[in-house]
Amino acid sequence: MLLLGNLSLEGILGAIVAVGLGMTVHEFAHNYVAHRMGDPVPAQQGRLTLNPLVHINWLGWLMFALLGFGILGSAPISPQRMRNPRYGFLAAVAAGPLANLLLALLFALLYQMMEPLLRSGALPLALVRPVATMIWTIVFINVLLCLFNLLPLFPLDGWHVVYALLPAQQAWTWGSAQWRQYSQYAFFALILLSFSGIFNLFGMLISGPAFRFTRLLLG
């Protein structure tokens, strides 16, 4: 859906770069924070890198290319391997969406620094337009990834964040196989509804706020 929203060459290339960058930073943040919290597996598997080929989920990317939706990357982190399973896992899971937000803020700052040049006409339009489109797309997609991954639905990061924050008894219920299954069913049902055009809840919860926040950041 993201790639199909702008069929210009610069829009498509911008979306590919933005999604790849956002996925890489997101998964690296998960792995790096998990490593700092005592999980040895990210280092053992060579995940402490910004090489996108290490983090990419090829099936998820194929789904994204065909359907506009997919799990783009993966991080082999586990609370059982951390020094403090509860809060270490909370930090590692939250690191992914927060990294996307930070990336969006950094590129928005870059855009604000470039804005005088964009308005002055000092640079040729053929150069300015692709750069501005690329930056806008990077900011928007990283805001989108942050909001999407914070939804409290399994298997998204937001579900794990809620799990780590709940008291023990409620966390046990939330993390049970039955509740995970219900949450996953709800997740896929919302995807189907959004694609059907009957009730685009994802658009209401994610795309709309992401557009507004991007406009706010970029002025």
Side-chain angles (χ1 to χ4, degrees):
M1 291 173 65
L2 293 176
L3 294 180
L4 296 177
N6 186 343
L7 292 180
S8 69
L9 179 60
E10 62 193 43
I12 292 173
L13 291 176
I16 292 173
V17 171
V19 172
L21 179 62
M23 177 277 296
T24 302
V25 170
H26 182 101
E27 302 303 340
F28 170 78
H30 281 321
N31 284 286
Y32 179 75
V33 174
H35 167 72
R36 298 288 296 179
M37 295 298 163
D39 188 343
V41 171
Q44 291 170 0
Q45 294 190 2
R47 300 286 185 130
L48 304 181
T49 175
L50 288 171
N51 179 356
L53 297 179
V54 172
H55 303 290
I56 193 169
N57 180 327
W58 290 106
L59 179 60
W61 273 83
L62 178 61
M63 289 178 58
F64 180 80
L66 296 176
L67 304 175
F69 168 81
I71 304 299
L72 302 176
S74 60
I77 63 176
S78 172
Q80 284 75 29
R81 299 190 294 260
M82 298 179 186
R83 289 185 296 272
N84 186 322
R86 181 173 185 179
Y87 294 108
F89 188 63
L90 172 62
V93 170
L98 291 178
N100 288 128
L101 179 59
L102 178 60
L103 195 62
L105 293 173
L106 289 175
F107 273 90
L109 178 61
L110 176 62
Y111 186 90
Q112 295 292 349
M113 293 170 63
M114 290 178 57
E115 190 173 11
L117 288 175
L118 299 176
R119 295 192 178 197
S120 68
L123 296 176
L125 183 62
L127 174 63
V128 170
R129 182 178 173 183
V131 172
T133 299
M134 178 74 73
I135 294 176
W136 187 95
T137 306
I138 289 173
V139 173
F140 171 69
I141 286 182
N142 276 277
V143 171
L144 197 75
L145 288 173
C146 176
L147 295 177
F148 176 74
N149 280 284
L150 287 176
L151 290 175
L153 297 171
F154 189 83
L156 300 178
D157 295 332
W159 185 92
H160 295 284
V161 168
V162 173
Y163 177 71
L165 289 173
L166 286 173
Q169 184 174 355
Q170 286 79 9
W172 183 87
T173 302
W174 183 264
S176 66
Q178 184 178 30
W179 276 90
R180 284 202 307 269
Q181 189 175 54
Y182 288 156
S183 179
Q184 201 164 24
Y185 287 158
F187 177 51
F188 286 116
L190 289 177
I191 292 173
L192 292 175
L193 281 173
S194 296
F195 275 102
S196 71
I198 298 172
F199 180 51
N200 189 3
L201 184 59
F202 279 153
M204 294 170 55
L205 294 178
I206 303 169
S207 299
F211 272 116
R212 288 191 290 273
F213 190 52
T214 299
R215 287 198 298 266
L216 178 64
L217 290 177
L218 299 181

